[in-house]
Amino acid sequence: MKSLTSIEEWRDYCERVRRAGGRVGLVPTMGALHDGHASLFDCARRDGTVVVATIFVNPRQFSDDADLQTYPRTLDDDRAMARRHGVDCLVEPRLDEMWPDYPLPTATTVSVRGVADGLESVGRPGHFDGVASVVAKLLTITGPCVAYFGEKDFQQVAVVRAMVRDLGFAATVVACPTIRESDGVALSSRNRRLSPSGRARATALSRALAQVAQVPASASVVRATLRDTLEDAGVMVAYADVVDPVRLTASGDDESGERRALVAAIIDGVRLIDNGPVTLVAREA
Ligand code: PAF
């Protein structure tokens, strides 16, 4: 596995891959790698791409400084995991190259409207500006590629897709399914910050989603079922919503068909998110 830190070398590496007839598979991460990230590496390998993974804890997407300071950093384990899963090139870009002005604001920010509004943005103002700006920079440096993201961050995938389409990046965005523990909890780097009792309560998110996935219902019944299941488990609900899976607009009671249920909860001060499919049936007028 090749290890790089400089932007110039990373750009050259990707250019050489393409000149040799290969396709670059970009897997952007913030480290603290787990089996969810490993599944993205595997997915990129199965697609036959030359896998370029990045580890960069992007300070611009944290609205809360304490969250940034406590974000897990496990670089040695990350490198071992990347190697085990056949990553061809691991890039750990330096902060002073990625954001030369940091901690001052950048002159240029990529700001996506519509899909980026609501849901995560309510509790994390500016979060998606940080995500879109860093992903735009990663895609610009990498050049034409297939870019892999986890479906657990459903709104993030929608934001990246909108940005890639609107700004004409030469990237194909692939969303890979959420990887779960045996008790249903979605893998997340944040799970390791949960206490044992918090970890037990975290099962409420996937349980709530499994419940609404089973029985077609109206949008307001889905919302109430999600919220009740989470509150009964004693977790603080940030949101429990059902939305159009592409535009992410809130679904109404007059709608039927396939939609997406999204939940966010705060447990032990840790913000956890999850999502799953749901079938709506319009409520009788
Ligand atoms: O999902 C993440 O880990 C981050 O938001 C990403 C896409 C690597 C951008 O920093």
Side-chain angles (χ1 to χ4, degrees), residues 77-91:
D77 291 349
D78 293 350
R79 290 173 189 140
M81 160 90 85
R83 195 170 287 116
R84 268 200 317 279
H85 285 268
V87 168
D88 296 285
C89 178
L90 181 64
V91 189

Side-chain angles (χ1 to χ4, degrees), residues 28-30 56 58 61 131 134-135 149 153 156:
T29 82
M30 297 206 300
F56 179 63
N58 172 31
Q61 68 187 75
V131 170
V134 81
V135 173
F149 296 86
D153 297 298
Q156 170 169 279

